[in-house]
Amino acid sequence: MIKKHVRRKRPRKPEPVIKLRYEDYYMETRDRYVKGLLMMITYQCEALVEKFKVTPLIIGLVGPICLRFVSLSEVFDDDWADKAIRDSELLQSKVVKRRRKGVKAEEEPHNLHGKRAVTIWVSLLKKSLPLSSSLAISFLACHKARSPVLPTDIARWARQGDVPYFSSFLKIRELMGERSPACPVSATVMFRPIQIVSAQRLEAQAASIADFIGLPLPPVNFYGIASNYLRRLFPTKEKEKAALLDRVCLLQNWSMPSGLYLSKNELRFPTRVRVMSIIIVAIRMLYNVNGFGVWERSLLGGLLDDASSSSRSEVDAELSKPTEEFDTVELLKNLETEYYKEVAAETVNEYEKDLTSYLLHGRNEMFAGLVEASADDTYRTVDHLWNSYHPIDEESELSRIPSKRGRDWDEDDLLLNQLSLNDDKLRDRDNNFCSSRRSRKSDCDEPPSPDNHINHDKEKAIIRLITDMGDNLFSYIPPRVKVKRLDYLQYLRKKNDGALIYAAHADYYILLRVCAIVAEIDPRNLHTSVLSFERRLAWVEKYSIMHVVMMVFVSYRESVMDILRKLFTVTRTLSR
């Protein structure tokens, strides 16, 4: 029998442990954070180009902006790490007890109070180069490339997950790894944002970054933004949209408002509000939206009761002057329709239509990575319960649920078990019901008159509008009766018991609220911006024209004086 000689494997020698230095820790932490931030900005710009057809110029513009922003943030200075440690020691008064986290945690550098230096550097990097600056730099590149992308668009796309922001750390973690020996902080902690900044803060942050790196900024793409807004307000009216766009551009060229530039001040009106203010003024000029009661008279053909015949005839004659292209009644009806469409589109997003899409959006975008990060089986139990969930058809659900009634149910309502095929019982019940209410009404069998029905519907529509105005802290003004001037009407704000009163007519408020929901701003702030632009137009008309006339007069006087001076010198030489 032949014996086989088995060669025994020698035990491998343990790999030599490389002892990390102080410089290795802070250099690795800084490099990983900066690289991850640049990767996040790159992913966002690629998504803007691929999904929303933004110009590819932003990919070339975002590189120099990022590099200059990082270089001027002083995170690559020689004494950056030591300065961060000293500042943390000055701010922290109590000594932190070191917890036993293994040999690696003991080998890491700490400050004098026992706090880990890696966490100090990561927190300082998040303050110097915040993760929200990725969205601001992406918007800044779009603004520099003259693309009509608004901060509201960036914030909404990031919230919906179309632009990678909450879930971008998954790609970064896949490429860079969860952690490294010199940077024990996980990529989830470093690159996972907590919340999305508002559109107002995003615009101010982009302006701050541009001022910080010395980047000169042009005004916003007024033509592109105004075209997008008019396309949403007038989706089918091409001629009206073209005429309004021409008028809007004329007003912008005439007034040259400074609010079309990005500002670092968060309390200033955003640029999109300035653009929408000019659009509102142009619509009021072309459609004569000046509180003449067009909306009230359009309610089922009703007429205003408190209007005198002479003043109303003048107003009707003035309103009949515009052509069919600028019909005010049709404008207000279309604006009401667009308002309810925008409200429905705003309240119901793509991921809020059903429970399944909403939970998937929360798991994949808002709370991405929590399944792997859970130490116990909590999220696995949730997945198990979710797999056993089966959506129930709405019709079968409604047919299965019994009807529930409160105590204040009407007398004329019949329960399901009280319905009978015997007409005599129903007839007796109707007779008893009519006789009980005959004292309050004239006759239960008498049909309502059409005039009362029209007035009732008209009152309901006006009350509904007044209620909506009250919800937005506006007060209703009845239509103008004794109209002395038929030109542009300027509104004012008045103080009553220390509070400002926002008073407006119905037609102007209908225009204002749909423009406010399109621009994603509060109606009161938009109304204040409109008043500011109207004051600027009045100032331009009053002083600029007078200044031009005076300049022409002065130049003409100087030319006349020069001519007279030359004639005097000629006559003087001839006399000699």
Side-chain angles (χ1 to χ4, degrees), residues 31 70 91 101 127 303 309 350 373 385 426 429 434 440:
D31 293 345
V70 171
L91 293 176
K101 295 184 179 180
K127 290 180 181 179
L303 297 176
S309 59
E350 291 294 333
L385 294 175
L426 294 176
R429 183 183 179 278
C434 292
R440 289 175 289 178

Side-chain angles (χ1 to χ4, degrees), residues 126-144:
K126 286 189 174 182
K127 290 180 181 179
S128 303
L129 304 172
L131 297 177
S132 60
S133 62
S134 62
L135 295 175
I137 292 175
S138 301
F139 167 69
L140 187 61
C142 295
H143 176 78
K144 189 66 176 177

